[in-house]
Amino acid sequence: MAEMKIIQPPRLPRLPPTLAWRNGGITPTILLLRIAFTATNDPFASNCLYCNQQFCGFELPLLQPTIPLLRIVFTGAILHAIARGPSIMALKSPSKVDVDKVEDILNSLPEQEQDAVYRILYGRSPRDLALGVPAAARKLASSHNFDLQSYQFTAQSEGTRPPKIVRVGLIQNSIGLATTESVEAQRAAIHEKVRPLIQAAGEAGVNVICLQECWHMPFAFCTRERLPWSEFAEDARTGPSVLFCIQMAKQYRMVVICPILERDSTRGEVIWNTAVVINNDGAVLGIQRKNHIPRVGDFNESTYYCEGNTGHPVFHTAYGRIGIAVCYDRHHPLNWLMLQLNGAEIVFNPSATIAGLSEHLWSVEARNAAIANSYFTCAINRVGTEIFPNPFTSGDGGPAHNDMGPFYGSSYVTGPDGVRTPGLSRVRDGLLVVQMDLNLCRQVVDKWGYRLTQRIDHYAEEFARAAKHTYEPQVVRPKSHTEQESGQPQGQQPGRRECANHDCARLAVDCSKFH
């Protein structure tokens, strides 16, 4: 009998300390990722990614057919880790590596598998959504080092309605100077930083452009200091940042959504978080004030301003009906719903949010809103880490610090059918240009019937009851053995009527003692 040769698999080398996730070592994962992403006919023919030693004598002939699946599985694992990790793919000393875009990981897959993963995660492949932009716009992006991406959403052709084409632009940016510089210098630097992005949008034929929340200033509300940060507040019609956007609107004949820190001269100089809508002729069409104010972590915004009083207006422009949900408003489904009820076709969500808090939510919320409300949503987030002169605390027992952490950009657009674009860079300024056929909104309404079946009248009655301080939740509990035998709720004496002001069955003692 021939001697059986047993092949021993190689021992996994120890992962060097400079290549470790902050959430724990991933030596086995590194090995499997190497198999998934670099394997050809011999998955162990090339040198190891981290020890530079060549694997030899280890053959897994059954592994080869599973490689396409491994690529997809481990791409999902990376995305899950990115969503959870507070410092995305951050390496410990001596250096740090960051992911510019999540899509860079997906784009490392072979084309066929790449399309499959995008279809599963995003609804369609970026190749199916591709849209060209003029060379002048690309040249501006190259010379000013910002991320420029462009996509399109199409609708089925109709016999009674022509296509309703509009191009939107989303701008994300970091601040231009250190926060220790004067207010005027910081604001002017941001204006000049944003100018070439708006110019590129004009070259690309953008009709409606939206900047990030409080784009004209550092997001300094974490400090709880009144000065100098409240000096960035400006009038919604005559402030310097509004006048800058009015100039841009006139020059490029585009609607500009200009989110600012507003100083309200008509109401005793109070401050609001406000998005100013400027028409394509330069006239201020109206404002949307932030409806929901966060009180979480370093987002101490209620120190500066309160909930808005403008409701949920939808602005009728030459390019479509637009609504605005400012930053934290996106966490409230009813806010999105009210914009739908008021007829919005596109809703912009100018935001400022950080990696350690919300990045795992970012790709979900605006996309869910687009699906639930059958309109387009445009999510915009700033980039960069803003360092402030004085340390502050988060109220969580942690040490004082001088920054909130990185804003992660990743601005994107979702169609009413749930298909979304790739996101802009997580770390660089960027312009996202998206062409959309607004006829898609009604086509999705007809297909899915969400508005037909939403039963607003039913929920209006439920909400009216829930808004009262006497509201009792509609809860069904199993009956106790005593209740089943007597037919009376436990704690209620035979013959006693159910009390009007509370649920007797929830009391552990005879409720008559409380009357």
Side-chain angles (χ1 to χ4, degrees):
M1 179 181 295
E3 182 179 354
M4 180 180 293
K5 182 180 179 181
I6 300 177
I7 300 175
Q8 296 290 340
R11 180 177 298 174
L12 293 174
R14 184 181 299 276
L15 189 67
T18 54
L19 285 173
W21 290 84
R22 288 191 177 181
N23 291 339
I26 53 164
T27 304
T29 307
I30 286 286
L31 173 61
L32 290 170
L33 285 171
R34 213 184 75 80
I35 296 170
F37 286 102
T38 66
T40 53
N41 292 328
D42 184 356
F44 298 97
S46 58
N47 288 354
C48 171
L49 288 176
Y50 50 92
C51 73
N52 205 35
Q53 299 294 317
Q54 190 176 61
F55 290 105
C56 58
F58 182 34
E59 298 176 359
L60 292 178
L62 297 179
L63 176 65
Q64 202 63 34
T66 69
I67 289 172
L69 178 61
L70 282 171
R71 288 191 177 105
I72 294 175
V73 168
F74 285 106
T75 298
I78 290 175
L79 293 175
H80 177 70
I82 285 174
R84 294 188 59 191
S87 55
I88 310 307
M89 293 193 75
L91 301 180
K92 294 180 180 179
S93 60
S95 62
K96 289 187 177 181
V97 176
D98 213 342
V99 173
D100 181 57
K101 291 186 285 288
V102 169
E103 289 79 14
D104 289 344
I105 300 171
L106 300 182
N107 294 340
S108 67
L109 297 171
E111 187 172 306
Q112 186 175 0
E113 289 145 14
Q114 190 182 125
D115 287 343
V117 173
Y118 271 115
R119 179 181 55 80
I120 294 168
L121 297 180
Y122 285 22
R124 293 178 68 185
S125 166
R127 275 185 284 274
D128 297 333
L129 302 174
L131 174 70
V133 293
R138 295 197 300 272
K139 184 177 179 180
L140 283 164
S142 176
S143 60
H144 292 277
N145 191 30
F146 61 82
D147 186 17
L148 173 62
Q149 298 184 46
S150 56
Y151 305 97
Q152 63 179 329
F153 291 87
T154 59
Q156 289 181 283
S157 61
E158 300 183 20
T160 58
R161 289 195 305 170
K164 192 175 180 181
I165 305 298
V166 59
R167 282 195 183 188
V168 303
L170 281 56
I171 289 180
Q172 62 179 45
N173 62 274
S174 57
I175 58 176
L177 289 177
T179 59
T180 51
E181 299 292 334
S182 70
V183 169
E184 292 85 353
Q186 289 186 62
R187 182 166 52 211
I190 295 173
H191 287 187
E192 292 311 306
K193 208 169 194 284
V194 166
R195 188 186 299 274
L197 285 96
I198 298 179
Q199 183 182 351
E203 295 287 352
V206 165
N207 307 120
V208 184
I209 197 162
C210 185
L211 293 94
Q212 65 202 24
E213 181 184 21
C214 292
W215 69 276
H216 62 305
M217 63 178 290
F219 209 73
F221 312 119
C222 53
T223 68
R224 298 187 294 275
E225 299 167 344
R226 298 306 198 277
L227 294 175
W229 318 119
S230 60
E231 293 183 78
F232 282 98
E234 61 183 70
D235 188 88
R237 294 182 180 273
T238 61
S241 301
V242 175
L243 292 178
F244 171 84
C245 288
I246 287 174
Q247 177 192 356
M248 296 293 101
K250 289 179 178 179
Q251 182 173 349
Y252 298 107
R253 299 296 298 174
M254 64 173 68
V255 173
V256 179
I257 301 171
C258 172
I260 62 168
L261 189 65
E262 179 197 0
R263 177 73 71 179
D264 187 357
S265 59
T266 64
R267 290 180 177 267
E269 302 287 332
V270 299
I271 291 175
W272 306 95
N273 187 322
T274 301
V276 181
V277 180
I278 302 166
N279 214 349
N280 60 341
D281 61 358
V284 174
L285 191 58
I287 62 173
Q288 167 73 75
R289 289 173 175 152
K290 191 171 183 176
N291 281 312
H292 303 274
I293 309 302
R295 297 161 177 86
V296 54
D298 287 329
F299 289 84
N300 301 305
E301 297 171 47
S302 59
T303 304
Y304 298 85
Y305 45 79
C306 290
E307 287 74 13
N309 58 0
T310 55
H312 304 83
V314 168
F315 301 92
H316 285 238
T317 74
Y319 309 118
R321 301 187 300 272
I322 63 177
I324 304 161
V326 181
C327 196
Y328 194 72
D329 289 349
R330 75 179 178 277
H331 301 303
H332 298 269
L334 294 180
N335 194 83
W336 296 101
L337 173 62
M338 287 306 303
L339 293 168
Q340 179 238 102
L341 295 178
N342 288 333
E345 296 170 304
I346 314 169
V347 176
F348 293 89
N349 176 225
S351 302
T353 185
I354 55 174
L357 179 68
S358 65
E359 192 160 12
H360 62 295
L361 306 175
W362 179 251
S363 63
V364 177
E365 290 176 301
R367 192 178 183 189
N368 281 355
I371 297 167
N373 296 287
S374 304
Y375 51 43
F376 289 91
T377 59
C378 305
I380 309 111
N381 186 26
R382 66 173 59 202
V383 292
T385 299
E386 300 170 359
I387 301 174
F388 298 96
N390 301 317
F392 50 87
T393 62
S394 304
D396 59 1
H401 42 278
N402 292 78
D403 68 86
M404 299 175 69
F407 296 95
Y408 53 81
S410 307
S411 305
Y412 71 100
V413 171
T414 303
D417 56 356
V419 174
R420 59 154 291 183
T421 70
L424 287 176
S425 170
R426 297 180 58 259
V427 296
R428 290 190 295 144
D429 295 358
L431 168 65
L432 178 61
V433 176
V434 178
Q435 179 173 292
M436 51 187 68
D437 186 345
L438 299 183
N439 284 352
L440 184 60
C441 296
R442 194 171 81 178
Q443 291 176 7
V444 171
V445 168
D446 291 345
K447 177 177 180 178
W448 284 97
Y450 294 146
R451 297 184 187 178
L452 181 68
T453 59
Q454 65 187 161
R455 301 189 64 191
I456 294 174
D457 55 343
H458 167 74
Y459 290 104
E461 294 173 0
E462 294 285 332
F463 282 132
R465 286 196 291 270
K468 296 178 180 179
H469 72 280
T470 56
Y471 177 69
E472 287 287 343
Q474 185 180 1
V475 179
V476 178
R477 297 180 178 83
K479 292 183 178 180
S480 68
H481 180 70
T482 305
E483 289 175 321
Q484 292 175 5
E485 290 184 346
S486 66
Q488 295 283 348
Q490 189 175 14
Q492 180 175 335
Q493 297 176 354
R496 175 178 290 278
R497 296 177 60 189
E498 186 76 17
C499 296
N501 295 325
H502 63 268
D503 181 0
C504 296
R506 297 172 65 184
L507 300 178
V509 295
D510 185 348
C511 66
S512 62
K513 297 180 180 180
F514 299 101
H515 299 289

